[in-house]
């Protein structure tokens, strides 16, 4: 066994072809494997008898932990949280591996995502780690205010491995914008017909029953690793049910997290458009990776003001960052 270990809780029966739900986790695994980490996968079945699935999961955890205890690795990284069972599996693992060098690599803080405040239960688990790698400064500050005193490193953007070669988009007006993701969940999209969408907007994801008109066009779906054929000049990062702010639980979560959608766009060669109140907004502006908006209605005016020279600056910055994301450099630099 290697002196450095990555622990994954993995779903055993989910199709990944057009599902980006575990794309970030797989990319973390790629980076860590390349840097000498041995991967231990703890399977969790999503189908069949529930009690049988949980029992099998606990047996797999115990087997993995006994092996780790026997070989005594110097460093352990755990992707946080675990699927379905959430923090319960991670809490059990941390109790068993007490006093070891354990880093939690955070993909989501579920209580913050769904209840707008980190729970005491999650605080308790996060405090047991030696180190935490997380999304943004604002997420770090929120955890610290709620009692998490574990040393934390901020990654800002998740890496995004992709097939093919990086393609930089030329300056062409009118600018076109894309939105990729779970279109059914992104209910603000249903209100786009209410505004005069004067720019081409391309939607990517699994199809829905909703019909868009005018400049809004459904473009189909793509495999998470195959992004070179995506049309459009800019990538939109937005969530919730409103055109005027990122609302609801998922919209509010953008105040703290780094949406994986942002990494997708940048890896695909597109500057991004992000909510001005999102945690990523200062980073995007400071690194010339895109622009911020207060509302969706701001997009036409903001894009019309961008000169060819300004767009070239965005494109150069995105090209540099996109290469880093495609090569796993964000996590590698933290390691």
């Amino acid at each position: 066994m290697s002196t450095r270990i990555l622990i994954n809780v993995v779903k055993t029966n989910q199709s990944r072809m057009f599902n980006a739900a575990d794309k970030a986790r797989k990319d973390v695994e790629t980076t860590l494997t390349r840097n000498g980490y041995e991967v231990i996968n703890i399977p969790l079945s999503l189908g069949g008898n529930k009690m049988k699935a949980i029992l099998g999961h606990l047996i797999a955890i115990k087997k993995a932990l006994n092996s780790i205890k026997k070989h005594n690795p110097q460093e352990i990284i755990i992707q946080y949280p675990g699927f379905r069972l959430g923090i319960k599996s991670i809490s059990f693992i941390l109790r068993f591996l007490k006093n070891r060098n354990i880093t939690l690599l955070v993909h989501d803080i579920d209580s913050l995502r769904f209840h707008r405040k980190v729970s005491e239960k999650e605080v308790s688990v996060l405090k047991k780690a030696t180190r935490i790698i997380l999304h943004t400064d604002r997420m770090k500050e929120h955890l610290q205010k709620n009692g998490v005193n574990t040393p934390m490193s901020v990654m800002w953007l998740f890496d995004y491995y992709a097939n093919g070669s990086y393609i930089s988009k030329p300056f062409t007006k009118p600018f076109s914008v894309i939105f990729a993701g779970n279109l059914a969940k992104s209910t603000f999209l249903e209100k786009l017909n209410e505004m005069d969408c004067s720019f081409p907007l391309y939607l990517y994801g699994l199809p829905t029953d909703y019909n868009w008109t005018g400049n809004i066009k459904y473009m189909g779906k793509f495999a998470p690793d195959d992004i070179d054929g995506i049309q459009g000049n800019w990538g939109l990062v937005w969530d919730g049910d409103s055109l005027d702010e990122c609302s609801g639980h998922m919209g509010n979560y953008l105040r703290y997290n780094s949406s994986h959608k942002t990494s997708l766009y940048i890896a695909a060669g597109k500057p991004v458009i992000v909510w001005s109140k999102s945690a990523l907004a200062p980073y995007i502006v400071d690194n010339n990776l895109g622009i911020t908006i207060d509302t969706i209605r701001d997009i036409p005016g903001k894009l019309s003001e961008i000169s060819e020279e300004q767009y070239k600056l965005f494109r150069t910055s995105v090209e540099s960052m996109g290469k880093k994301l495609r090569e796993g450099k964000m996590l590698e630099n933290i390691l």
Side-chain angles (χ1 to χ4, degrees), residues 108-126:
D108 280 303
I109 305 292
D110 281 341
S111 58
L112 181 58
R113 176 165 57 157
F114 296 116
H115 305 291
R116 303 196 178 198
K117 182 179 179 181
V118 62
S119 67
E120 293 182 5
K121 183 181 293 185
E122 287 210 72
V123 168
S124 176
V125 173
L126 293 167

Side-chain angles (χ1 to χ4, degrees), residues 102-106 126-127 129-134 143 148 150-154:
I102 299 178
T103 296
L104 293 181
L105 196 155
V106 171
L126 293 167
K127 288 173 69 174
T130 309
R131 180 193 187 196
I132 298 171
I133 300 173
L134 42 59
L143 294 181
V148 179
T150 307
M152 296 181 236
S153 300
V154 173

Side-chain angles (χ1 to χ4, degrees), residues 253-267:
Y253 193 45
L254 288 175
R255 296 177 185 270
Y256 304 98
N257 81 320
S258 173
S259 172
H260 195 241
K261 198 188 312 289
T262 312
S263 296
L264 158 66
Y265 296 145
I266 294 174

Side-chain angles (χ1 to χ4, degrees), residues 12-61:
T12 58
N13 53 351
Q14 177 180 342
S15 172
R16 292 176 175 172
M17 186 172 181
F18 295 105
N19 190 328
D22 61 350
K23 166 67 174 166
R25 292 172 180 268
K26 292 299 296 181
D27 285 350
V28 165
E29 182 177 325
T30 298
T31 298
L32 293 181
T33 301
R34 194 177 64 194
N35 283 272
Y37 288 75
E38 181 177 336
V39 178
I40 295 180
N41 288 323
I42 300 176
L44 172 61
S45 174
L46 295 179
N49 183 279
K50 183 178 180 180
M51 292 306 298
K52 185 177 180 180
I54 292 175
L55 179 59
H57 182 57
L58 292 175
I59 291 172
I61 289 176

Side-chain angles (χ1 to χ4, degrees), residues 179 182-189 208 238-241 250 261:
F179 181 85
N182 188 333
L183 303 182
K185 178 181 72 69
S186 306
T187 52
F188 75 91
L189 294 172
T208 71
W238 198 265
D239 215 332
D241 59 5
M250 298 311 296
K261 198 188 312 289

